[in-house]
Amino acid sequence: MGGAPVALSAASLWQAQAAFYAERGVRAWSGNAVPHHVTTNPRIARSYAELAAAWARDALADAGEASLAPTPLWVVELGCGSGRFAHLFLRAWEDLEAAGGTRGLALRYVATDLVAANVDFLLAHPAVAADVAAGRLAGQAFDPTADAPLAVLPPAAGPAPLVAVVANYVLDSLPVDVFVVRDGAPAEARVRGESAGVARGLAPLDWAVVPCDPAARYPGEPALTATLQAALAAGARAHGRVLPFPAGALRAIDRLGVLTPHPMLWLASDKGAVPGDGPAAAVADAPPDLEVHGDASGACVSTVVDFGAVAGHVERGGGEALLPAHGSTALYTAAWVTRGAAGRRLRGAFARRVGDTGPDDDYYVLRRLTHPARPYAVAEALALLRWSGGDPHLWADGFGTLMPALAREGAALGAPLLRELRDVAATVARRWYDIGEPADVNFQLGSALLAVGALDAAEARFAASAAARGAGAATLVQ
């Protein structure tokens, strides 16, 4: 290794990361190389749908709701990955529509990803065929750090759309720079040379701390400069505080603002922190969190997102950020409105779905439920599945517990529980989005329904299993 130290945002590991995702495609998630269930489950999708609807209803109320034509609402997802979140959001939106919660809004969901094959996988998936046919779901390859336009968005004729952006496990994967305050003076942690292992995220980075002039660090980007200066001023209170600065994320927020003249809603969940979370640490003692996901053949990295810096950046631009009052350890969920304030409905929805208890808590509950300390009764298992919104992942992980419970209690279940089992199974089936993971959820559903004598419903699930995965011996026997 050699050469002058480079900023972390300019290191080759970001190009290597893009190559990792391009090579793996959907297998990055179906093979569990990259964590995803925490941001692709029915509860977080329902939360996002309610937040987007609440924000849009605030906007309609501010406008007086004078127009008889539905107002276009574009939900733009960055980094759609396997497409599972898009599917779940659309199903949650359908539920809100049925309850009258989306009146006056015409949804268009735009799924984007750095890898075109991931978008193609989603748009060709049978679970969203009706959405694609209706024009409610579209997609394209898109790099949020570049200036390329979103070609799939409708032309600008008619009323300007409301735009909400979804960014789950995206901001932590965009280029960051690292700064540190020592003895009250700002400095930047740069990377000294890069081996092939470093480029793949498989070897530790070699850091060099160099002096830094914050006012000149981002020439021609006054908003980014102001945010850096504010972050460093806050960091000056702690000697040696490491400041991973989300330059790539902040640039993406600014660049996507051109999509609409209206205020824009962002909904983001990531590994995150705000000022005051945890002890300060010097670069020499604790390098920035670059978590590695993958295996010996290749890997990607992620960082901790400074949501305090994001909130400050948004608010200096005339917007408002909503952050959870409680700390988070697995997932930090935030919402912000650019160029405008959060309305009453959005504030209320955020308090209900994130502020009081939200995706971070849901993750731990789901993890605990999928590793039970004792066998569940059928009624308990069904209650948990209802709480989860019919989460197929929870069903699959708990299947080995449910089947013995059905065997134990089958004769004594009674009509109400049997009816509930059919209803829960139908909900799970509606939520299921197959990306080739080992569990065949349709087959599992059919087996459970068959065990309680629901032959017609079981036959439908076995047929769906055979259509998706082929008629294996077990399916034919059933």
Side-chain angles (χ1 to χ4, degrees):
M1 298 195 297
V6 299
L8 180 58
S9 62
S12 62
L13 63 86
W14 306 107
Q15 289 73 38
Q17 175 158 278
F20 166 84
Y21 280 114
E23 188 275 328
R24 295 292 177 96
V26 173
R27 290 186 296 112
W29 295 275
S30 62
N32 285 322
V34 178
H36 61 103
H37 180 230
V38 65
T39 56
T40 58
N41 63 74
R43 285 185 67 84
I44 192 172
R46 174 74 183 206
S47 294
Y48 276 38
E50 289 189 12
L51 289 166
W55 169 74
R57 296 290 295 165
D58 280 333
L60 293 181
D62 291 342
E65 301 189 75
S67 175
L68 296 178
T71 297
L73 169 63
W74 300 344
V75 175
V76 178
E77 183 184 2
L78 305 180
C80 69
S82 71
R84 181 173 280 168
F85 178 86
H87 162 65
L88 291 171
F89 183 98
L90 290 164
R91 304 290 75 79
W93 192 266
E94 285 179 346
D95 294 340
L96 288 178
E97 279 183 324
T102 65
R103 182 171 56 86
L105 299 171
L107 174 69
R108 181 177 177 86
Y109 195 102
V110 181
T112 75
D113 197 275
L114 197 64
V115 180
N118 292 343
V119 179
D120 293 341
F121 180 88
L122 165 63
L123 297 181
H125 201 289
V128 296
D131 303 293
V132 174
R136 177 172 275 195
L137 172 64
Q140 75 166 78
F142 179 68
D143 181 353
T145 65
D147 291 317
L150 282 167
V152 297
L153 294 179
L162 301 172
V163 178
V165 177
V166 169
N168 289 334
Y169 275 158
V170 170
L171 304 185
D172 71 341
S173 300
L174 298 181
V176 300
D177 291 312
V178 180
F179 298 90
V180 62
V181 177
R182 288 184 170 175
D183 297 323
E188 182 172 2
R190 296 196 163 207
V191 180
R192 265 195 295 251
E194 298 178 88
S195 67
V198 168
R200 295 202 315 273
L202 300 176
L205 297 172
D206 183 18
W207 296 99
V209 178
V210 300
C212 170
D213 178 6
R217 178 59 181 82
Y218 297 111
E221 298 182 89
L224 210 61
T225 298
T227 299
L228 173 61
Q229 290 174 320
L232 288 170
R237 294 193 294 270
H239 168 75
R241 180 180 173 86
V242 174
L243 301 168
F245 185 69
L250 300 180
R251 287 179 174 129
I253 292 170
D254 292 341
R255 283 171 174 156
L256 267 71
V258 303
L259 295 178
T260 176
H262 296 309
M264 178 184 292
L265 173 69
W266 280 70
L267 301 171
S269 290
D270 240 310
K271 294 184 306 177
V274 295
D277 285 357
V283 170
D285 299 326
D289 290 338
L290 294 181
E291 186 170 345
V292 177
H293 312 285
D295 51 40
S297 64
C300 60
V301 299
S302 59
T303 64
V304 172
V305 178
D306 183 350
F307 279 101
V310 172
H313 189 79
V314 168
E315 290 168 359
R316 272 183 292 278
E320 182 178 0
L322 300 177
L323 306 178
H326 57 82
S328 63
T329 52
L331 195 71
Y332 195 100
T333 298
W336 57 89
V337 179
T338 61
R339 304 190 303 265
R344 173 178 59 84
R345 294 173 181 82
L346 176 58
R347 289 178 178 278
F350 189 85
R352 289 191 307 274
R353 304 300 303 196
V354 180
D356 298 332
T357 181
D360 185 61
D361 296 330
D362 291 343
Y363 166 73
Y364 281 109
V365 172
L366 288 168
R367 189 175 70 169
R368 176 66 184 86
L369 297 180
T370 56
H371 298 83
R374 58 178 176 79
Y376 287 158
V378 171
E380 184 180 18
L382 293 178
L384 295 172
L385 284 162
R386 285 193 303 271
W387 167 88
S388 75
D391 187 351
H393 191 282
L394 179 61
W395 168 277
D397 280 355
F399 180 70
T401 299
L402 178 62
M403 290 302 287
L406 289 174
R408 290 192 307 270
E409 303 175 37
L413 282 178
L417 274 181
L418 291 175
R419 186 167 55 250
E420 287 184 35
L421 176 60
R422 290 179 66 116
D423 290 344
V424 166
T427 300
V428 172
R430 182 167 171 257
R431 298 282 191 265
W432 177 228
Y433 182 92
D434 194 348
I435 61 173
E437 292 157 296
D440 184 348
V441 167
N442 276 312
F443 185 86
Q444 291 178 345
L445 290 168
S447 300
L449 292 164
L450 184 63
V452 297
L455 301 184
D456 55 340
E459 183 178 4
R461 291 302 97 217
F462 288 133
S465 169
R469 304 212 176 190
T475 304
L476 294 173
V477 169
Q478 299 290 13

